[in-house]
């Protein structure tokens, strides 16, 4: 665990949870895990095709979703499990010569801009007594840890996300002092995102990854806000 994380479960009995990106492997795993938790009174899952739809490439949908959920909250746990690394016609760039405006914009829309607006519109839905909001990042977004290069757009989009989380956490300390905002590295998970990179061989099942991450999130206190954490609870370098 991180040096400041507490040992006890800090989420209250009957906590309400929200998973954004619930159609993906990790998002589905989080939603199913929370549904099975007897201490979780309610869990809602959002994605592009949910009844309350949210699409990070459609700015207005983020505000609409937050407005539609006002009466369902406040939430004690909000997890953003969205993310993109590749698409059918574009793989992570290994060289500068492969960079394109369209690919960079597409990657940043999902990994950075959408989550930033999610924080803007969804942090007011957090419970004022205690709440945790986690945005899935990636260790390859660590500037200090970057030793191999490559994956330009993905690395940069996650590094930018980390800065947005850190900055928003500072603001939240002034306005919602009991809220915890963190960037969370899920590790390698067997999913469509990791499939082209031997994810099925080297990755963990999504259910295991979700359980490990939930164990970290459920033990965080306000002192942990603004951190970049691994699924193990370890603090990662920016």
């Amino acid at each position: 665990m991180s040096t400041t994380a507490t040992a006890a479960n800090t989420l209250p009995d009957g906590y309400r949870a929200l998973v954004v990106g619930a159609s993906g492997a990790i998002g589905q795993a989080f939603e199913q895990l929370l549904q099975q938790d007897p201490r979780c009174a309610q869990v809602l899952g959002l994605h592009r095709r949910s009844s309350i739809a949210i699409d990070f490439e459609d700015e207005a949908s983020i505000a609409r979703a937050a407005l539609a959920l006002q009466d369902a909250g406040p939430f004690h746990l909000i997890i953003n499990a969205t993310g993109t690394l590749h698409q059918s016609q574009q793989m992570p760039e290994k060289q500068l010569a492969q960079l394109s405006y369209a690919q960079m914009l597409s990657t940043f829309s999902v990994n950075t801009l959408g989550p930033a607006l999610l924080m803007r519109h969804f942090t007011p839905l957090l419970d004022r007594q205690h709440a945790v909001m986690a945005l899935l990042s990636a260790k390859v977004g660590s500037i200090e840890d970057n030793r191999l290069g490559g994956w330009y757009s993905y690395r940069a989009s996650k590094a930018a996300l980390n800065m947005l989380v850190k900055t928003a956490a500072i603001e939240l300390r002034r306005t919602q002092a009991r809220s915890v905002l963190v960037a969370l590295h899920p590790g390698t998970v067997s999913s469509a995102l990791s499939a082209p990179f031997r994810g099925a061989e080297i990755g963990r099942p999504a259910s295991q990854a979700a359980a490990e991450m939930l164990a970290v999130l459920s033990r965080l206190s306000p002192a942990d806000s603004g951190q970049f954490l691994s699924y193990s609870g370890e603090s990662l370098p920016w």
Side-chain angles (χ1 to χ4, degrees), residues 113-144:
L113 306 182
L117 290 170
L118 190 76
M119 288 189 287
R120 173 190 171 182
H121 292 290
F122 280 66
T123 49
L125 301 181
L126 293 171
D127 187 90
R128 292 304 179 111
Q129 296 305 309
H130 177 71
V132 175
M133 185 172 186
L135 295 95
L136 293 199
S137 184
K139 191 176 180 180
V140 296
S142 167
I143 296 175
E144 184 177 341

Side-chain angles (χ1 to χ4, degrees), residues 10-235:
T10 58
L11 292 173
D13 287 332
Y15 71 90
R16 292 178 294 277
L18 174 66
V19 179
V20 180
S23 61
I26 296 177
Q28 285 182 15
F30 265 123
E31 187 174 14
Q32 292 168 4
L33 183 64
L34 291 162
Q35 288 170 342
Q36 296 164 8
D37 184 355
R39 298 182 65 250
C40 182
Q42 178 189 44
V43 56
L44 300 176
L46 301 185
H47 51 81
R48 287 189 181 96
R49 297 172 299 281
S50 54
S51 56
I52 299 175
I54 189 166
D55 183 346
F56 281 179
E57 295 185 287
D58 176 8
E59 179 180 352
S61 76
I62 303 171
R64 286 196 303 267
L67 184 62
L69 288 169
Q70 281 186 336
D71 292 336
F75 295 96
H76 302 92
L77 178 63
I78 298 178
I79 300 170
N80 175 48
T82 62
T84 184
L85 173 59
H86 58 86
Q87 298 179 11
S88 58
Q89 299 301 315
Q90 60 183 43
M91 296 299 287
E93 316 97 329
K94 295 181 179 180
Q95 302 171 342
L96 283 170
Q98 296 173 335
L99 292 181
S100 74
Y101 188 91
Q103 181 167 347
M104 288 189 289
L105 182 60
S106 176
T107 302
F108 269 75
S109 293
V110 176
N111 292 347
T112 312
L113 306 182
L117 290 170
L118 190 76
M119 288 189 287
R120 173 190 171 182
H121 292 290
F122 280 66
T123 49
L125 301 181
L126 293 171
D127 187 90
R128 292 304 179 111
Q129 296 305 309
H130 177 71
V132 175
M133 185 172 186
L135 295 95
L136 293 199
S137 184
K139 191 176 180 180
V140 296
S142 167
I143 296 175
E144 184 177 341
D145 189 65
N146 184 0
R147 295 176 178 83
L148 297 176
W151 289 24
Y152 280 87
S153 295
Y154 187 72
R155 285 185 185 275
S157 68
K158 293 299 188 178
L161 172 64
N162 290 348
M163 176 58 84
L164 287 163
V165 169
K166 179 70 173 181
T167 304
I170 294 170
E171 179 179 346
L172 244 61
R173 285 198 193 101
R174 306 185 188 115
T175 58
Q176 296 173 224
R178 303 301 302 169
S179 294
V180 183
L181 184 60
V182 295
L184 185 62
H185 168 57
T188 303
V189 179
S190 181
S191 66
L193 184 144
S194 65
F197 313 101
R198 297 176 55 234
E201 301 171 44
I202 64 176
R204 304 153 10 257
S207 57
Q208 177 185 340
E212 291 167 345
M213 287 186 282
L214 184 59
V216 173
L217 298 177
S218 65
R219 288 169 171 77
L220 298 179
S221 74
D224 297 300
S225 192
Q227 290 202 52
F228 180 21
L229 299 174
S230 171
Y231 61 90
S232 65
E234 173 192 6
S235 291

